Amino acid sequence: MSDDALTPDGDAAVVQTDYVVGQDNIQKQLGPFGLDIHNPVFVISGLVICAVVFYALALPDQAESFFGWLRPAVTSTFDWFFLLAGNIFVLVCIGLMISPLGRIRIGGTEAKPEFSYAGWFAMLFAAGMGIGLMFFGVSEPISHFSSSFAEGAGSPDSWAPLGGAAGNEEAARRLGMAATIFHWGLHPWAIYAVVALALALFAYNKGLPLSMRSIFYPLFGDRVWGWTGHVIDTVAVFATLFGLACSLGFGAEQANAGLEYLFGIPASDTSKVLLITGITAIALVSVIAGVEAGVKRLSEINMVLAFLLLLFVIVLGPTIAILTGFFNNLMAYGEYLPALSMPFGRDDANFSQGWTSFYWAWWISWSPFVGMFIARVSRGRTVREFLFCVLLVPSIVSVLWMTAFGGTAIGFVNAGVSAIADAPLELKLFTMLEQMPLAAITSFVGIVLVIVFFVTSSDSGSLVIDTITAGGKVDAPVPQRVFWCIFEGLVAIALLLGGGLGALQAAAVSTGLPFAVVLLVACYALVKGLMQEPKAKPPLIRSRKAQ
């Protein structure tokens, strides 16, 4: 994609501004490498992130203590705010989808989609949920089921959602699956959809730079090109990088555990560092290849592998239970959704703060990355088509995935296979696959999936961060993307060494909080921007007389 792609096709409410994309950029030639970076977003972002990396590596004990305090402090204090914000994002998406604004086409009235549905869905899924579904697909349903079924469910120390269902196996299973789907269904995808639609609208319809600051043009006007916009974009870079580092940390933990489980390679900090380094090197190759040859191809490979693994579990696992469970779990999700999404008066503090609040902060910090990537590949779709596909299709796939993997694991546990429940989070997937035929092959496929999801996330993330720090340019020099790809790996390594997964989660949560405020304001700007667009004409219905 070039910057010429930001020009609308057909009618669109293009913003009239004197600002030129990249006018504040610093352009330098360093030997064979060219630089085209935004001043001061690139400089401030780079310096602050370098300081965080230095702190985590130079003072690991102090960093571990600080990050260990930070995550629960944020999630317990602002749990109501995260839950309320998540509900608002869902309602905004549903409102736009059913309103006349849904007929507006991204990129102008004559814009055509650049990717087929298959390629588009593959990139949506790989960028938005890949590593997380692999890590939590078995571990989260088992965790919620176990805590809900336990004798002490509902006590102040319990982690059970909504008070649990002590001693009631079927009720605990339904509640555990509903809680899992709540974290991977409509709410996270609504967060992504709001960011992606806003970015796409203001870039492809308004002709503004593909950057977070552009979304706020209806509110701040030309001030978005000054320090107001600099702050917005810098916060977006922090949120993206630390949210991405958190996901990469989960991927590294699971891939490392899988390699030890399958091949006996000892899991250690050194092996995690080597794994992140090796995968980052692979991601560099994909970065250089570009979206069409790199991310798109890897995403499609991953979709095929993920589909085959899913099909394997459905066919060789409890097939009937999975298929009926899919619909039963959807109904359980609908039944428990109002209570699970309630921001106030909760009696399940461990669950709502330790699980939901963390997830919402993580998804929000992850949203600039996923949102901008979805925006880049969604030109030509109508708002209604876009929201329907981004909101519902991945949510349904997530329900099927959690039902197949989580439901099968719960079935094994109920049959007496306690090893799955007792295994560490990162090993639960492989322990579940061990109970099925061809365990060595499927476990190897699982490791490959984690690694390739890792690569696509790193590749896509560096593409997004580079776009923001290049002032919205979508064809900035490749060496800049290489720089951010390497930096993502360094941040993940530094935070893992300076506090483990807890440090990565704390970094994601702390950046998700201020960005949640940014996104709530963005909802208003998005609606205001859509109302200025020329509406697509509804299809003509001919009457009998006219015929």
Side-chain angles (χ1 to χ4, degrees), residues 1 102 130 165 167 209 416 467 475:
M1 182 192 297
T467 301
D475 57 355

Side-chain angles (χ1 to χ4, degrees), residues 82-83 86 182-183 187-188 191 356-364:
F82 284 122
L83 267 71
F182 173 58
H183 291 152
H187 282 74
I191 295 168
T356 306
S357 184
F358 161 69
Y359 265 131
W360 274 207
W362 184 22
W363 298 143
I364 289 169

Side-chain angles (χ1 to χ4, degrees), residues 262-542:
L262 200 57
F263 301 112
I265 300 173
S268 64
D269 285 344
T270 301
S271 60
K272 292 173 190 174
V273 170
L274 292 175
L275 187 63
I276 293 174
T277 302
I279 295 174
T280 300
I282 299 172
L284 285 175
V285 177
S286 180
V287 163
I288 295 170
V291 174
E292 192 67 44
V295 178
K296 180 174 179 286
R297 190 168 298 165
L298 285 173
S299 298
E300 290 174 345
I301 291 171
N302 245 21
M303 283 298 292
V304 171
L305 289 176
F307 174 77
L308 291 175
L309 186 61
L310 177 63
L311 188 65
F312 172 85
V313 173
I314 292 175
V315 172
L316 295 185
T319 307
I320 301 301
I322 291 172
L323 296 179
T324 56
F326 172 79
F327 297 101
N328 291 336
N329 292 338
L330 276 176
M331 288 189 289
Y333 172 53
E335 176 186 340
Y336 288 112
L337 180 60
L340 288 167
S341 57
M342 175 60 65
F344 308 107
R346 298 288 290 265
D347 295 324
D348 53 352
N350 282 339
F351 172 80
S352 61
Q353 296 172 8
W355 280 98
T356 306
S357 184
F358 161 69
Y359 265 131
W360 274 207
W362 184 22
W363 298 143
I364 289 169
S365 68
W366 185 245
S367 65
F369 151 55
V370 180
M372 187 171 292
F373 186 75
I374 293 174
R376 289 189 63 148
V377 299
S378 299
R379 184 187 177 99
R381 311 288 177 184
T382 65
V383 169
R384 184 170 292 119
E385 175 189 17
F386 173 90
L387 290 174
F388 180 85
C389 293
V390 174
L391 205 62
L392 297 182
V393 174
S395 294
I396 291 172
V397 173
S398 295
V399 173
L400 180 59
W401 185 278
M402 291 299 185
T403 299
F405 286 83
T408 299
I410 290 173
F412 281 131
V413 170
N414 289 339
V417 184
S418 60
I420 301 175
D422 296 337
L425 288 178
E426 62 270 17
L427 272 178
K428 288 187 186 294
L429 170 65
F430 304 110
T431 309
M432 189 273 285
L433 291 174
E434 187 180 10
Q435 316 307 316
M436 304 181 70
L438 306 175
I441 295 175
T442 54
S443 294
F444 180 74
V445 171
I447 294 171
V448 172
L449 271 169
V450 171
I451 291 174
V452 181
F453 275 133
F454 193 139
V455 171
T456 54
S457 297
S458 180
D459 184 351
S460 308
S462 57
L463 191 72
V464 167
I465 296 174
D466 180 48
T467 301
I468 298 174
T469 56
K473 283 194 170 184
V474 295
D475 57 355
V478 172
Q480 292 175 200
R481 259 179 281 159
V482 171
F483 168 83
W484 286 112
C485 185
I486 294 172
F487 231 49
E488 289 158 15
L490 286 175
V491 170
I493 289 171
L495 292 178
L496 271 176
L497 296 178
L501 277 178
L504 291 165
Q505 293 171 15
V509 165
S510 61
T511 53
L513 178 60
F515 204 70
V517 178
V518 172
L519 292 192
L520 288 172
V521 179
C523 289
Y524 173 70
L526 169 62
V527 174
K528 190 171 182 179
L530 284 169
M531 293 179 70
Q532 297 168 350
E533 285 294 303
K535 311 297 187 297
K537 295 179 180 179
L540 294 176
I541 302 176
R542 296 182 179 178

